[in-house]
Amino acid sequence: MIHLLFSLGQIIFISIALYYSFLTMRGLSFKLSHTDAPDLDYPDVDILIPAHNEGVVMAETLRAMTQLKYKGRLFVYVLNDNSTDNTRDIILSYAKYYNYIFCIDVPKGEPVGKSRVLNYGLSISKSPYFVVYDADNRPDPLAVHRLVQATLHHKNAIGAVGTVRTLNADHNLLTRMIAIEFQVFQLILQAGRWATSQVGSLPGTNMLLNRQKLEEVGGYDEYALAEDAELTIRITAHRYCIAIEPRAITWEQEPETLKVLIGQRTRWLQGNLYIMFKFFKTPSWWTPQCIHHLLHYLIVYVLFPVILLVSNVLFIAGLLGLVTIDFEMPFLFIWLFSYLIYTLQLLFAQWYDHTLSLKNIGVSMIMYFTYAQLFILLLFKGILGYVRMRKNKRIHWEKTSRVKID
Amino acid sequence: MYRKSLSFIYVITLFLFVVLLNTPYHAGDGLFFSVICLTALESFLIKNSYRSLLFITINIILIGLMFIVYLFFNPYLLHLQAQIIFDYILFCIICFSFWFIMYAEFSMKEDLVALSQQLETLKKLQKNTGILSDIAFHEQEQYILNGARRRNESCYYLHIHVNTTPDDVGFSALMATLDDYMIRTFRQHYDIIKKQTPTSYLCLLQNVDSGTIEIVKLRLLNNLNEVLVAPETFIVFEEEEVVL
């Protein structure tokens, strides 16, 4: 019986690994064959930038906004969420020169977090489309132009999302690993899924949405810590799609220390757990496309760390002679095979982004043993944080701290 | 022809691998070595880094899967697992190294072409703004003035000062916007512009009079009004007729 269960488990595991390899290939072929959509009438677009104590990065972000090339009218609303540093002064320095940059002071309120700020931003702006950028983003000049093209090109699209690249990838080993993780996420879970089944998900930044359709699906959920993932499911439940435009690129900085990364990812994981529980309470979400999203969240955030943990425990217990398995199966070879598939996916993502180097190959090879193991810790921290949040009935928004990058 | 021979080598590779799986393991060492060499050779023959990587990946996955299935159905060979793992790793490393050498060569070629193009542009323009560098401005200035002298036309220098300082937070963004609007406002391939100081520009306008200069100034301010708040309050013009 145990033998049968183990065999079944191995088959499911290898199938998942092969499915993700298939998505990698589909993502690559989609990205390589992607071309410009035909020119069209460009609507007015609002850019919403939530900002809470972002003085370190704000000037560079606004500079990037002034360099955007868009054929329609752009309005940049920087939503100053009660900053106590010089964020407001910097915004005003730009608003002094540019007639399309506005400093909006968001009133204090509960719950704290990005969703409430964005809902406020939507209430004071009026263009038919809006783009969200995080306060540390530096979009490429054509990013908004391409997002609009992608949205209008797909009739059923509520909006489009672009690619997020890492500004400080070369800073240290950690940022290099995060950059690789982002690349592989965008290749497999964004481009791959879009090419295979027209499924895309909102990354929280560098995304364009249709205001009217967003109001139809109910705006942002102010209690969601991963507001982008939660909104993705609701959009999918309303049978809209989110187009993927890989050439709409924005650059953002990633955490440079483990402490900041763990804080950020714990928040994401708590947000995803919130979605998973909300899923079971919301019958309108029980559609094949929503289940597709849910399965991905489960695989990436729950199943993957659990399998890692089991694998580690069995390996160590086996070495210490605490566990013996009395049937024969090529466990070591399957482990190696999975490790190679994982590493090859990382290399493919870097190949597309032209960041493949000997150094990055070395980093990719150790990522399974280092960065991936972090997900086990994150799962536990996320569950604990989520339970605490439910008990206290109050959400805690862990703000990601920024650094100055020239 | 090329595709046919490539497919042929590929079929031989897979055939050898299947034969290898049915050969007592140690006796198949030579065969395994041949599979490695042939796969590497094939990846080298495909002159496209994406297809080549795809090919190697499919091979790595296929051969890995074959090994797994083989070990599943021949559990008595599990004592050779370490040896098989070693061979499989060797196979992956050799194939990938071959591919990486080819990829590095492709990338270097691409970089070289991109750098050469960039160098050509940088020789004439400041960064990618379309504003001329000092050297390019003086070269073109001589041609324009000589031509104007022959045709008996009048030319004007227009100095444009921006009342801001490099310490201002929005300074670099503002100057980049001005660069962009200068290029759009002045006549392309006819008038020339360079940056005189970090906060001022010098434009040479040919075949114009004082009335035309006023039109140009107005046009620039009108264009800037699209994006800037009251540009006339911080932009100062100063014109000077060129004595030919």
Side-chain angles (χ1 to χ4, degrees), chain A residues 25 28 32 63 66-67 69 94 96-99 328-330 332-333 336-337 340 347-348 351 356 361, chain B residues 49-50 54 57 64 67 78 81 88 96 99-100 103 164 168 172-174 177 180 225-229:
Chain A
M25 304 299 172
L28 263 183
L32 290 169
R63 187 183 194 285
T66 64
Q67 307 304 307
K69 307 270 181 231
Y94 272 83
K96 174 177 81 180
Y97 289 126
Y98 291 89
N99 58 15
E328 290 174 323
M329 207 176 266
L332 261 183
F333 193 85
L336 174 75
F337 181 68
L340 279 173
L347 298 182
F348 264 107
W351 173 83
L356 195 61
I361 291 173
Chain B
S49 62
Y50 167 63
L54 196 68
T57 305
F67 266 134
L78 274 175
Q81 202 177 191
Y88 185 56
F96 193 75
W99 177 82
F100 191 73
Y103 166 76
T164 178
D168 197 304
S172 62
L174 178 68
T177 305
D180 190 16
N225 256 315
E226 286 173 13
V227 290
L228 299 180
V229 182

Side-chain angles (χ1 to χ4, degrees), chain A residues 270 273 382-393:
Chain A
Q270 281 173 289
L273 290 173
I383 291 172
L384 276 178
Y386 182 74
V387 171
R388 206 175 299 134
M389 192 175 82
R390 299 276 299 196
K391 206 171 136 191
N392 299 338
K393 291 194 164 75

